[in-house]
Amino acid sequence: MDERITRPAPVFFFPNQIALYNGAMEVVKKFLFDHKDEGYRSFTLPLIPNVDPKTFIGVRLPVLKKYAKELDPSTRKAFLKELPHFYHEENILHAFMLSNIKEYDVFISYVDQFLPFVSNWSVCDTICNKHLNKYKDKLIVIIYSWLKSQEIYRVRYAVKCLMNYYLGDDFSEEHLCKVEGVKLDDYYVKMMIAWYLATGLAKNYEPFVRTLEERRFDVFVHNKAIQKAIESFRVSDEHKAYLKTLKIK
């Protein structure tokens, strides 16, 4: 079976379709500005430092999540083809829409098109599609290809998928080896790798603690993973005590 990523074909509109398309986009933008929350905007902006304040409206996530489900299919389809978006909330809404797609091939096609335009951790981490649990054999091939990318948030999302869908009974040491092979020197990639290691310490302790004992990751990832694991309620006190001894001074 050919597991190569396929991109959607170019979309062409007739004049009457353009009018409908522009109308759909205006409906979405009007909704976003109608639900602007200045207090939430002020609180959230410092948490996403690489978002241009001019692109941040200030719409709460539960509002966007609900709206992503309520949009009519034609508006949703038009919106998913409008890239790049200008507003941060448009990108979050896009991520929520992707999270609701049940068909594997459709999801992969749309997410592959979207990832190059993701510019911050908040949008990246909002993509969380529970339906992918049904397609783990196919998905792992795509994840391995994403890990080789030079796109920061494609790599971050790939590691996030390993953390979400391939720990516990679905874990393989090959996954750890693939993550170890990531050479993209970026803060947001490293933070996700540390989060993956810390979650692995909670769910598959032995293979993950070996990676720390053998110091397979750089000092930042190594120590950050230990910090996150120590802060987790899912890691036993005994394991936490030992992890503290593995910190690199």
Side-chain angles (χ1 to χ4, degrees):
M1 182 179 294
D2 187 352
E3 299 289 355
R4 291 174 297 180
I5 300 173
T6 57
R7 296 180 182 273
V11 179
F12 300 98
F13 293 103
F14 293 106
N16 62 328
Q17 291 176 308
I18 292 175
L20 290 171
Y21 174 84
N22 290 336
M25 295 309 100
E26 289 307 311
V27 166
V28 172
K29 287 183 174 65
K30 182 179 186 305
F31 175 89
L32 296 178
F33 279 96
D34 284 348
H35 290 80
K36 180 177 181 177
D37 183 327
E38 282 292 351
Y40 177 74
R41 183 178 186 277
S42 299
F43 170 78
T44 307
L45 261 178
L47 303 178
I48 318 173
N50 52 340
V51 170
D52 182 345
K54 294 193 299 294
T55 70
F56 199 93
I57 300 170
V59 184
R60 292 179 178 271
L61 294 181
V63 174
L64 294 170
K65 188 174 185 179
K66 185 171 183 286
Y67 188 52
K69 293 180 179 179
E70 293 176 345
L71 272 171
D72 66 88
S74 60
T75 301
R76 187 182 302 116
K77 186 175 181 179
F79 183 82
L80 288 173
K81 291 175 181 176
E82 187 201 54
L83 288 171
H85 301 298
F86 179 76
Y87 293 106
H88 171 73
E89 281 80 2
E90 290 179 300
N91 285 312
I92 292 288
L93 183 62
H94 196 122
F96 277 132
M97 289 182 188
L98 293 178
S99 301
N100 294 331
I101 295 174
K102 297 180 181 180
E103 301 82 2
Y104 172 81
D105 292 333
V106 175
F107 171 81
I108 292 297
S109 179
Y110 275 123
V111 80
D112 182 54
Q113 189 179 42
F114 182 56
L115 287 172
F117 300 104
V118 173
S119 61
N120 63 77
W121 67 266
S122 178
V123 173
C124 178
D125 295 1
T126 298
I127 309 169
C128 190
N129 191 320
K130 65 182 181 181
H131 305 292
L132 295 180
N133 276 308
K134 302 175 185 177
Y135 305 102
K136 291 180 181 178
D137 289 346
K138 297 169 70 174
L139 179 62
I140 195 65
V141 178
I142 304 299
I143 290 173
Y144 285 173
S145 71
W146 287 342
L147 288 173
K148 298 175 185 176
S149 175
Q150 292 302 304
E151 294 175 13
I152 292 169
Y153 293 100
R154 188 180 296 274
V155 177
R156 181 180 170 99
Y157 183 65
V159 179
K160 180 176 181 289
C161 284
L162 287 176
M163 182 177 71
N164 286 351
Y165 310 119
Y166 296 93
L167 290 176
D169 293 339
D170 293 300
F171 172 72
S172 165
E173 296 218 27
E174 182 180 70
H175 303 160
L176 260 177
C177 292
K178 295 292 185 180
V179 174
E180 186 182 348
V182 171
K183 302 304 180 187
L184 199 55
D185 187 20
D186 175 84
Y187 173 81
Y188 291 100
V189 170
K190 289 184 174 185
M191 283 296 290
M192 179 55 74
I193 292 175
W195 189 8
Y196 169 63
L197 296 178
T199 308
L201 287 165
K203 295 189 175 184
N204 302 88
Y205 179 76
E206 292 300 334
F208 279 86
V209 78
R210 281 199 299 272
T211 68
L212 300 178
E213 292 169 338
E214 297 168 6
R215 297 191 175 185
R216 298 187 201 170
F217 292 90
D218 67 29
V219 174
F220 176 85
V221 171
H222 180 102
N223 285 343
K224 186 61 69 173
I226 291 173
Q227 176 191 328
K228 287 178 174 291
I230 290 171
E231 293 170 352
S232 172
F233 67 89
R234 295 180 295 178
V235 177
S236 71
D237 290 342
E238 179 184 358
H239 287 166
K240 288 179 182 179
Y242 179 61
L243 289 170
K244 289 178 182 178
T245 71
L246 298 179
K247 282 189 175 180
I248 299 174
K249 305 291 187 181

